[in-house]
Amino acid sequence: MQDCIFCKIINREIPAEIVYETDSVLVFKDIRPAAPVHLLLIPKKHIPTFFDLEPADAALMGELQMAATEVARRLGLQNGFRLVSNTGRDAGQLVFHIHYHLLAGRELKWPPG
Ligand code: 5GP
Ligand code: ZN
C-alpha cells in the first residue's frame, strides 16, 4: 500500500528500529514509546483493521501473536507484557495497517482508559 507508513517500514523506505522479522511479520520499536518496552507487531500483508480480516488470514494472525511470544522470550520479559490492538475511531487507531502494541518494562495499569 503506497501511502501506508507501516508498509514503508516493511519496504525499508523509512527507517525503524527493527527487533524481529520473519517472512510474514515484522516487529519494531514504537516511535513514541508509552513504556520502557513498546514494540509494534505487524503482518507484512497490508490489512487496514480487524474488520478487514478474512478466514484465510487466520494463520497469519496466529504467526503475529507467536511473534509476541518469541520476542518476549528473547527480551526476557518474564515479568509480563501487554498485547493490545486499537481498532477504529473509538479505540484511537491512527495507523490503518493492523498492528499489536507490545508494552512491557513497568507495571501496566488496568483498565487502560
Ligand atoms: P495506533 O494506530 O494503535 O493508535 O498507534 C499507532 C502507533 O504507531 C503509535 O503508537 C505511534 O507512535 C506509532 N507510529 C506512528 N508512526 C510511526 C513511525 O513512523 N515509526 C514508528 N516506529 N512508529 C510509528
Ligand atoms: Zn500497510
Side-chain angles (χ1 to χ4, degrees), residues 17 19 27-30 37-41 71 75 77 100-103:
E17 285 193 67
V19 301
V27 181
F28 54 96
K29 294 185 182 178
D30 195 294
V37 177
H38 186 171
L39 304 176
L40 297 170
L41 288 68
V71 167
L75 297 183
L77 305 180
Y100 285 116
H101 297 254
L102 189 157
L103 299 151

Side-chain angles (χ1 to χ4, degrees), residues 20 32-33 37 43 51 56 91:
Y20 180 75
R32 290 186 60 209
V37 177
F51 292 120

Side-chain angles (χ1 to χ4, degrees), residues 79-94:
N79 286 344
F81 64 89
R82 178 168 293 156
L83 199 59
V84 287
S85 187
N86 301 317
T87 298
R89 186 192 62 187
D90 282 0
Q93 184 177 4
L94 296 173

Side-chain angles (χ1 to χ4, degrees), residues 22-98:
T22 71
D23 287 347
S24 53
V25 308
L26 189 70
V27 181
F28 54 96
K29 294 185 182 178
D30 195 294
I31 206 166
R32 290 186 60 209
V37 177
H38 186 171
L39 304 176
L40 297 170
L41 288 68
I42 65 172
K44 289 186 176 177
K45 177 182 177 185
H46 180 85
I47 303 168
T49 81
F50 273 75
F51 292 120
D52 302 298
L53 285 172
E54 295 170 356
D57 297 316
L60 176 61
M61 294 306 287
E63 287 181 47
L64 194 57
Q65 292 179 55
M66 287 308 299
T69 300
E70 183 61 27
V71 167
R73 283 185 181 139
R74 289 187 186 194
L75 297 183
L77 305 180
Q78 59 275 0
N79 286 344
F81 64 89
R82 178 168 293 156
L83 199 59
V84 287
S85 187
N86 301 317
T87 298
R89 186 192 62 187
D90 282 0
Q93 184 177 4
L94 296 173
V95 178
F96 284 80
H97 180 131
I98 280 189

